[in-house]
Amino acid sequence: MIFLLILLITLILFSVPMFLSIGLSTTAAFIMSDLPLFMVAQKMFDGVNSYVLLAVPLFMLAGGFMDQGGMSRRLVALSESLVGHFKGGLAITSVLSSMLFAGVSGSAAADTAAVGSALIPSMKKKGYNKDFAAAIVAAGGSIGVIIPPSIPMIIFAFIANVSVGKMFLAGILPGILIGLSLISVVLFKSRNLDIDKEDRQFDFEKFKIAFKESAWALGIPFIVVGGILGGIFTATESAAVAVVYALFVSVVIYKELTLKKIYKAAVSSIKISSVILIIISIATVFSWYLSMNNVQELLSSTFLSLTDNKLLLLLLVNIFLLVMGTFVETTASLILFVPVIAPLLASLGIDPLTSGVMIVTNLAIGMLTPPLGICLIVSGTIAESKILGISKAILPFLIVMIIDLLLITYVPFLTTYLPSIY
Amino acid sequence: MNKIASFFSYISNMMNRQISLFIVILIFLLALLLSLSVFYRYVLNDSIYWSGEVARYMLAYIVFLGSTMAHKHKEHIRIDMLFSYLSNKNKKNVDIVISLFFISFWIIVLLGCIKLFPLFMMQTTATLGIAYAIPFSALPISAVIWIFYCVNDILTLMVKTK
């Protein structure tokens, strides 16, 4: 068993693609245990033959249309009309638009790219330090996986066998908490910064125009969350409706999507989602093999042998996830660790929704940790800043997010209240 | 050698364009099907009873064929921290070895599919009652395309060395 893990990590480190690394390790495991190899093919197919996972490419596609079709730009304009007049206004705008955008797309990297390309250039022009600009955009973007709809939440729901709709509801309050705490860091930090010197007032007329322009885009979170809440459709169906709605708004109302742009957006969202889903497909086989050999039980009993104090154990799990989230890619971490951690937390009497949001928040923080944090890389590329510079600038935001994570872990109200009234 | 390589890359580019078009159409049909099933349920008080099953099988084609497309564009996730320190010549060698790994993995999958195929021709799906082999074919078809693309990658890399 140890051999398998060493093989897997060696392959990953030697730049073998994640999907193939898991595939080769799984095949090696089957050969060593004399299991028939045709089962790899059979279980790979079973791994993606799932109604829940259908939501992944559909939410990606809806996000692609919203970005290409001018919806994200209008959401940024709306946020700026609301909070742009504060000191540090553009940085606050970036957090607020990430939160709004998180409500319409499923992926943190996409949110970071959309908000970053709209705001980082103007932040630089207004005298913001480029590392600070990149850091706040990355931190805001990571909220994308916590506020619904969220792809990692769908994957968690799929593995842990909980309802996607409830998982989405559980993410709303924690997402708002993280957003507000990031904004307070911005307000605190920009007191002494030499930015936004001109004194500006909140302009109601400007807000009214921006709201009118973006009202169609704001319809999406209501359709998705409202539709699931009201029992009108399943999470998967809500993703399909979001695609049709986004296409309608971008083509008929905003008139910004050409046939060529539609095709390009479709191809790129299919590529991104099949990269994620093929990893899920093969990781399901790997995970099946591990559970056949009771590896998951072994791991969780190791955790339990360290301590049986609930609070301490939660802290240990969080530290483990934070370290892993820094090195292992999001989807792969979910498939590998959720089968271990979800039952462990359940045995401690923790609500699966709380553990889900906790695990996803850990991964969100992982997206911000240098050197592999995807949001950091995306926003750093847009701002043209060096990894060392952003690493320093991201630190206060990371600390605040870790405090938020502890709140989410130890205050179950945040995650269980909304699903309980549904 | 040069001629074979350019022939392979011509064919694989052409294949990739057709596959892209096919999956894009498929994903639009998927979104339409699921939206229609909501419409049928609430407005027409009827249900498209087969929509869930067909949608899942469409996903299988989107994922497996889509993964060949992502491979063609070199978009599969890999950690290249160590890789970036290698010399160009070693990078090329590592890439050739990885392509050989890919080919062996997909051959194993393909052989498994061939073994399962007679069984899945007999088995039928739950609601539609069609042969289970029809949705399952997404996997072996994609395996063949993957192998073809990887052979093409190796040929391209070897021509570059000369």
Side-chain angles (χ1 to χ4, degrees), chain A residues 11 14-17 20 24, chain B residues 71 78 83 86 89-105 150-151 153-155 157-158:
Chain A
L11 287 170
F14 278 90
S15 75
V16 177
L20 184 59
L24 290 175
Chain B
H71 176 73
R78 62 195 273 189
F83 189 74
L86 294 176
K89 191 168 169 247
N90 282 331
K91 271 184 189 162
K92 210 165 284 171
N93 291 336
V94 169
D95 273 337
I96 290 179
V97 173
I98 291 176
S99 295
L100 289 172
F101 280 166
F102 261 126
I103 293 175
S104 3
F105 174 74
C150 291
V151 172
D153 289 345
I154 295 177
L155 286 173
L157 284 166
M158 277 166 49

Side-chain angles (χ1 to χ4, degrees), chain B residues 20 23 26-27 34 36 39 45 52 70 80 83 91 96 109 115 118 120 131 139 149 151:
Chain B
S20 306
I23 323 180
L26 207 56
I27 199 166
L34 289 172
L36 272 181
F39 182 77
N45 262 323
D80 48 9
F83 189 74
K91 271 184 189 162
I96 290 179
V109 172
K115 190 145 192 195
F120 287 163
L139 187 56
Y149 284 172
V151 172

